[in-house]
Amino acid sequence: MNGVGNVKHCGVGNLRTIKHRNRYIVLSTLLREGPLTKAQIASQTNLTFATVANIISEFESKQLVCELGRVASQGGRKATLYGINRNVQCFVGVDVQIEKIICAITNFGGDILETLVTPFDVSRGPLESIQCVRTMIDTLTTNLGISLENIGGIGISTPGPIDAEHGIILSPPNMSGWVNVPFREVMEREFSIPCFLERDANAAALGEKEFGAGRGIEHLVYVMVDVGIGLGIIINNDIYYGFNNGAGEIGHVVMELDGPRCNCGNNGCLEAVASGYALQRLFRDRFSDPMTLEKLISISKQGTNEAQKLLIQAGHYLGLAVANLCNLLNPQMVVFGGSLALGSDIYFEQILSTARKHILPMYLHQIRFERAELGQMSGVIGAASIAFKNSICSLS
Ligand SMILES: [Zn+2]
């Protein structure tokens, strides 16, 4: 495939021109609501009929949309219905986590065609991880009977911090040996396909917004609670990055001035009192028992015990942070993902119960709290949709 080096990363939240943004709005409306007539698209998107007609004609010439029948319209004339041409291209999502890699291939409509989960210790380093991704993508394409030529882009979700614009993984605290890794460039060299990098919580937030619990929601926050705690913020349908791409570090808001030491060097951060890592440390300190997070959650389900008490205390801290977040950003929806939020009802219920006590009453009733509908697939689906979104940017 030509032109890999010429494709700019347009940043998920940064569809840079009005033209790109309008294209994306039309495509995502067709994805969500199609098939639709041009007039229906114009009315749903607030774009003019002429703008919609131009975009549809451009998409038709590139075979991205197709005619899907006709309906009666005003004046008795029949209007053409348009829909996404789902089979025109595929996209790959890759979710690099601390202990596993997830890959998925979607069609142009965002439907998942096939997924693969491979246990992988991220401390084995970038090169081995790319070889693992290579094997996984080869397996997926072989299973689907497609070639790399059919793939329009690869979106990659990784723990942060990252430099999304330049595709560099900076130095994630739980990924020793990964410092300033130009992951996107190495992936593009390996596959000769445009690749795009995104921080894991942002990718998961986007996955839930486009295909999960947050469909149609404009203002959404995604709280990822696993070994660490991450946050993806979507405002006005776009990921909010902050000035230096540093937005979303909720794990390091301070909950206890003299609290336990955090991996970041400060004391009493949310991640030091409410994350899976914090729970494991607390359990180990009190009972000299090195416990996996999975086992700790499983013990907490066997009646009242210390594991349960620790989960309630941790859930309380996260509930306070979520209340602060809601009072600050006024989202329509808070989506909770990650193994701790999805795996422990006690923890999840405590988050909601504490948060509800501290969110301003006038806004509380309008905020929806949901668990991630896509489960552990939020990140990989979000990553694939980032590749899709960027491919709209790269249309000439
Ligand atoms: Zn910290």
Side-chain angles (χ1 to χ4, degrees), residues 251-252 262-266 269 271:
H252 304 285
C262 177
N263 279 338
C264 75
N266 282 334
C269 294
E271 202 160 282

Side-chain angles (χ1 to χ4, degrees), residues 84-372:
I84 296 284
N85 184 3
R86 290 177 178 265
N87 299 318
V88 68
Q89 229 175 16
C90 295
F91 293 95
V92 172
V94 177
D95 186 4
V96 179
Q97 301 185 12
I98 304 299
E99 292 171 344
K100 61 176 175 272
I101 294 176
I102 307 178
C103 284
I105 293 192
T106 69
N107 65 15
F108 197 67
D111 308 309
I112 298 179
L113 303 178
E114 187 112 357
T115 60
L116 208 53
V117 182
T118 303
F120 182 85
D121 179 354
V122 81
S123 66
R124 285 163 62 188
L127 290 180
E128 276 197 54
S129 78
I130 284 174
Q131 285 319 307
C132 179
V133 170
R134 172 95 225 182
T135 307
M136 291 173 81
I137 292 178
D138 286 348
T139 305
L140 289 171
T141 49
T142 304
N143 290 350
L144 290 167
I146 61 172
S147 73
L148 291 181
E149 298 289 317
N150 302 113
I151 294 171
I154 301 177
I156 307 147
S157 158
T158 83
I162 65 164
D163 174 347
E165 191 175 350
H166 300 101
I168 297 170
I169 299 175
L170 297 176
S171 55
N174 299 317
M175 289 167 69
S176 60
W178 292 62
V179 180
N180 297 330
V181 177
F183 202 72
R184 187 183 76 203
E185 191 187 318
V186 185
M187 282 282 288
E188 286 187 341
R189 219 179 297 140
E190 175 70 29
F191 291 98
S192 297
I193 294 173
C195 296
F196 307 96
L197 195 68
E198 189 51 86
R199 191 169 63 85
D200 51 7
N202 284 347
L206 195 72
E208 286 295 324
K209 185 209 157 8
E210 300 285 358
F211 301 103
R215 275 180 293 244
I217 300 287
E218 290 176 34
H219 310 284
L220 172 151
V221 290
Y222 176 94
V223 183
M224 176 187 276
V225 201
D226 219 291
V227 175
I229 298 178
L231 176 72
I233 303 168
I234 291 179
I235 297 175
N236 290 329
N237 292 313
D238 277 343
I239 292 176
Y240 177 72
Y241 289 93
F243 181 56
N244 278 329
N245 293 315
E249 291 290 355
I250 197 174
H252 304 285
V253 298
V254 178
M255 307 305 294
E256 293 280 358
L257 275 179
D258 299 315
R261 192 91 167 154
C262 177
N263 279 338
C264 75
N266 282 334
N267 284 80
C269 294
L270 181 65
E271 202 160 282
V273 293
S275 65
Y277 165 78
L279 283 162
Q280 285 173 291
R281 195 203 57 236
L282 281 165
F283 210 85
R284 193 183 56 232
D285 289 353
R286 287 197 196 173
F287 307 106
S288 304
D289 191 350
M291 172 100 38
T292 64
L293 193 53
E294 226 173 7
K295 194 166 171 208
L296 199 142
I297 292 170
S298 152
I299 290 173
S300 75
K301 292 176 179 169
Q302 298 158 13
T304 308
N305 54 44
E306 284 303 317
Q308 202 176 76
K309 283 183 198 162
L310 290 179
L311 277 163
I312 289 171
Q313 181 188 297
H316 175 66
Y317 277 119
L318 186 57
L320 287 175
V322 167
N324 289 342
L325 183 67
C326 289
N327 288 336
L328 195 67
L329 293 179
N330 186 218
Q332 285 167 280
M333 182 182 283
V334 184
V335 183
F336 296 89
S339 64
L340 191 49
L342 295 174
S344 172
D345 290 343
I346 300 164
Y347 181 79
F348 181 64
E349 280 155 20
Q350 186 60 50
I351 298 169
L352 299 199
S353 130
T354 301
R356 287 189 173 118
K357 279 184 199 147
H358 295 276
I359 294 171
L360 288 175
M362 65 184 116
Y363 302 121
L364 175 61
H365 68 282
Q366 295 167 338
I367 300 176
R368 287 169 56 192
F369 299 101
E370 302 284 348
R371 273 169 156 161

